[in-house]
Amino acid sequence: MVLWDWLVFVPLGLLAGGLAGLLGIGGGLIFAPLLLWMGLSPHQALATSTFAIVPTALSGSLTHLFAGGFQLQAGLSIAVAAFLSSLLFSKIGLDVSGWLLLTFQVGLYLVVAATIRSEPQQAGQQLKSTLFLPGLALVGGVAGFSAGLLGLGGGLLMVPLMVNGLAVPIHLAIRLSTLAVTCSATAASLQFLSEGRGSVGIGLLLGGVAALAAHWSASRLQQVSGNRLAWMLRTLVLLLAFGTGRQALTLAMGH
C-alpha cells in the first residue's frame, strides 16, 4: 500500500464504521468498492472485505449488547443461522464469475432501496409471537448467503426483512442485524482463510479503523429517528448500486 492508499483508506474506513454502527451493516458496502478500486480482483476484494467486516461489526455488536439493546434468545436465533448459512455459501463463491457476483450485489441494492421503511406496517405487533424466532433464523440465513457468496455482511437485507416481514422496529432490527453480520462474516472469513482468498492484513487493518467509528455510532443509534435511518439506507444503496453496476458492466464487457 502506498501513501495515497492510506490517505483514502483511513477516512473511508471511518465512514464505513460509522455507517455500520448506525445502520446495522458490516461495512462491506464501502470496503468492497474501495478494495476493487485498489486493484484487487472481485473474488479477492470480497474476501478481504469480509475480513474487515468482522472487527467492524463486532465493535457495534458489543456496544449494543452491553447497552441491553436486544434479547439474548432473539440474538442467538439470528446469529447461529447467519453463521451456519455463511459457512455453506462461502464454498460456492469461487464457482461464480466476478461480474456476476457484482451483478447480484446491484440487484440486492435495488431491492433494498425499493422496500426499506422506517417502521413496520403492523406497529405494535408483539415480538414474542411464535413466528418471531423462526423468522429471525430465516433472516439470519439470508445474511449468511450475502456474506458467504457476495462478501457483504447482509445488514442491508436483514433490516428491511425484519421491519417489513416481522414487524420489528427499525432500531431493534439494526441491533439484531449487527450481531448477525458479525457471525456471518466470521464464518465466511474462516472459509476464505482455508482457501487462501483475500488479504487478511489489509482486511483487519481496514476493519480496525472502522471498528472505532462503529463503536461511536452504535452508542448513539437511539438518538437518530427511524425516518432518517431509512432515508440514509436508501440513499446509500442507490449510490452503491450505480458504482457497482459500472464495475460489473466493465468486467462483463472484458470477457
Side-chain angles (χ1 to χ4, degrees):
M1 295 179 61
V2 298
L3 178 60
W4 171 250
D5 291 332
W6 279 102
L7 292 176
V8 177
F9 181 94
V10 173
L12 286 183
L14 292 173
L15 173 63
L19 292 173
L22 197 61
L23 301 179
I25 62 177
L29 300 167
I30 305 295
F31 298 145
L34 171 62
L35 294 166
L36 287 168
W37 175 80
M38 290 173 61
L40 275 68
S41 70
H43 288 93
Q44 292 296 314
L46 295 179
T48 304
S49 169
T50 303
F51 299 143
I53 288 171
V54 175
T56 306
L58 179 61
S59 176
S61 295
L62 291 175
T63 301
H64 293 316
L65 181 62
F66 292 145
F70 50 78
Q71 299 172 355
L72 182 59
Q73 189 176 16
L76 287 175
S77 295
I78 195 170
V80 172
F83 185 89
L84 296 177
S85 175
S86 185
L87 279 180
L88 172 64
F89 285 104
S90 60
K91 299 179 180 180
I92 301 174
L94 278 175
D95 298 326
V96 182
S97 62
W99 72 268
L100 190 55
L101 288 174
L102 297 181
T103 301
F104 284 156
Q105 285 191 24
V106 174
L108 292 178
Y109 296 154
L110 295 177
V111 169
V112 170
T115 59
I116 185 62
R117 293 195 302 270
S118 62
E119 294 296 336
Q121 288 181 327
Q122 301 176 1
Q125 178 178 326
Q126 292 297 317
L127 298 182
K128 294 183 180 180
S129 67
T130 56
L131 294 177
F132 182 57
L133 295 181
L136 285 179
L138 181 60
V139 171
V142 173
F145 162 81
S146 179
L149 187 62
L150 305 179
L152 304 177
L156 281 180
L157 289 177
M158 287 186 288
V159 173
L161 283 174
M162 282 187 275
V163 173
N164 299 338
L166 300 177
V168 179
I170 192 169
H171 290 87
L172 177 57
I174 287 172
R175 294 186 180 103
L176 290 170
S177 171
T178 305
L179 177 62
V181 166
T182 304
C183 294
S184 63
T186 299
S189 292
L190 293 174
Q191 181 62 33
F192 295 152
L193 276 173
S194 69
E195 297 171 352
R197 291 170 61 184
S199 171
V200 180
I202 291 177
L204 292 181
L205 283 172
L206 186 58
V209 172
L212 299 174
H215 169 73
W216 182 87
S217 60
S219 66
R220 289 158 176 79
L221 172 63
Q222 201 60 40
Q223 301 173 18
V224 184
S225 70
N227 286 333
R228 178 167 294 182
L229 291 171
W231 177 84
M232 291 174 66
L233 280 167
R234 190 177 299 113
T235 302
L236 176 63
V237 296
L238 288 174
L239 290 173
L240 291 169
F242 175 75
T244 305
R246 290 184 59 187
Q247 291 174 328
L249 182 60
T250 299
L251 288 175
M253 293 178 64
H255 280 65

